[in-house]
Amino acid sequence: MPAASSVRPATRSGAHPATPPGTALVRRARKVDRVLGETYPDASCELDFDDPFQLLVVTVLSAQTTDKRVNKVRPVLFGAYPTPAAMAEADRASLEEIVGPLGFFRAKTESLLKLSAALVERYDGEVPGRLDDLVTLPGVGRKTANVVLGNAFDVPGITVDTHFGRLVRRFGWTEETDPVKVEHAVGALFPKRDWTMLSHHVIWHGRRICHARKPACGACPVARWCPAYGEGPTDPGEAAKLVRTEGRA
């Protein structure tokens, strides 16, 4: 049975830790990321997009639904409204009909109309490439901003979604639950250049093996470094049945 490494717990401090994380924790965290990278060599954003505007919109739409559903809607949505200017002037009923399959269609339509209008009014219809600017846009928080920065602008960022938060706590990288504190605590363990791919590796693992209710511990490639080993079935055969070959995309 894989044995959990004995390491000092991650610092519970927030954006500016009083002391740097322990060397053993840094080494273990980076080893886990390397193995996840080898396990998921194709890890990437599972939302389809052609440009920063599309990625911004589909990321906003992905809240409380699956990437697969958003990807199905995307061609129709951007076929009708390819630019922020076009979307800002969209007929509300027509836009609601397109995003309807994603749930919460009225709220999501309102978000898209306000977001597109803000891009036109504040940024001449261009998606800004700075975190401080992105988070001022309607419906855009740090998670969405980091997705856009990392995948559309090649600016390193950590995407703290539900999968990422769950796994980094299971891995013992941090005990924080606030997404911003998680982002800073985990960021301190890795070089900035690795942040975007780290996010993909962890999220892919969370979608495929390290599930919320029943993780497939017996099929986990990083089980030997995981303090939470045993939360799910450890028998390889039983665990294998839980593995998804694709995420909830």
Side-chain angles (χ1 to χ4, degrees):
M1 182 176 79
S5 301
S6 176
V7 298
R8 191 175 73 183
T11 303
R12 289 183 59 88
S13 54
H16 302 288
T19 57
T23 301
L25 176 58
V26 170
R27 288 177 177 172
R28 179 163 62 92
R30 294 184 183 184
K31 176 63 176 179
V32 167
D33 182 47
R34 285 196 296 272
V35 173
L36 290 180
E38 294 166 359
T39 305
Y40 309 111
D42 299 323
S44 61
C45 180
E46 294 187 274
L47 288 164
D48 296 336
F49 66 96
D50 292 330
D51 54 50
F53 174 59
Q54 288 195 10
L55 181 57
L56 179 60
V57 168
V58 296
T59 304
V60 169
L61 289 176
S62 69
Q64 298 177 298
T65 189
T66 64
D67 292 355
K68 181 178 290 186
R69 288 180 178 175
V70 176
N71 289 340
K72 287 182 178 180
V73 165
R74 185 186 74 95
V76 177
L77 177 64
F78 294 111
Y81 313 111
T83 65
M87 191 171 288
E89 297 176 356
D91 174 72
R92 183 181 294 269
S94 298
L95 189 53
E96 286 181 351
E97 184 176 356
I98 293 174
V99 303
L102 305 180
F104 304 96
F105 66 92
R106 290 190 179 88
K108 290 185 177 181
T109 295
E110 181 71 11
S111 292
L112 296 192
L113 290 172
K114 289 182 176 179
L115 172 60
S116 300
L119 288 173
V120 173
E121 294 166 5
R122 302 180 202 170
Y123 300 104
D124 297 322
E126 298 292 332
V127 176
R130 296 178 62 251
L131 178 67
D132 290 347
D133 293 329
L134 283 167
V135 296
T136 67
L137 295 169
V140 179
R142 288 184 68 93
K143 182 182 76 172
T144 295
N146 279 325
V147 169
V148 173
L149 290 174
N151 296 283
F153 292 102
D154 200 27
V155 175
I158 293 177
T159 302
V160 184
D161 70 354
T162 55
H163 299 289
F164 191 93
R166 177 178 74 252
L167 267 64
V168 298
R169 285 187 288 273
R170 281 180 175 168
F171 290 159
W173 294 357
T174 182
E175 296 178 1
E176 299 290 358
T177 57
D178 177 78
V180 176
K181 292 182 178 180
V182 170
E183 181 184 335
H184 289 299
V186 175
L189 303 175
F190 296 88
K192 189 173 182 179
R193 65 177 181 272
D194 295 341
W195 287 356
T196 299
M197 287 309 302
L198 166 70
S199 301
H200 291 319
H201 296 157
V202 173
I203 291 170
W204 273 49
H205 190 56
R207 287 176 166 176
R208 289 156 176 79
I209 291 179
C210 196
H211 312 304
R213 294 184 180 179
K214 202 172 184 181
C217 292
C220 179
V222 296
R224 64 180 295 185
W225 302 285
C226 181
Y229 176 80
E231 284 191 14
T234 58
D235 176 75
E238 185 179 354
K241 297 176 183 178
L242 300 174
V243 176
R244 297 191 181 109
T245 56
E246 296 181 4
R248 295 183 64 250

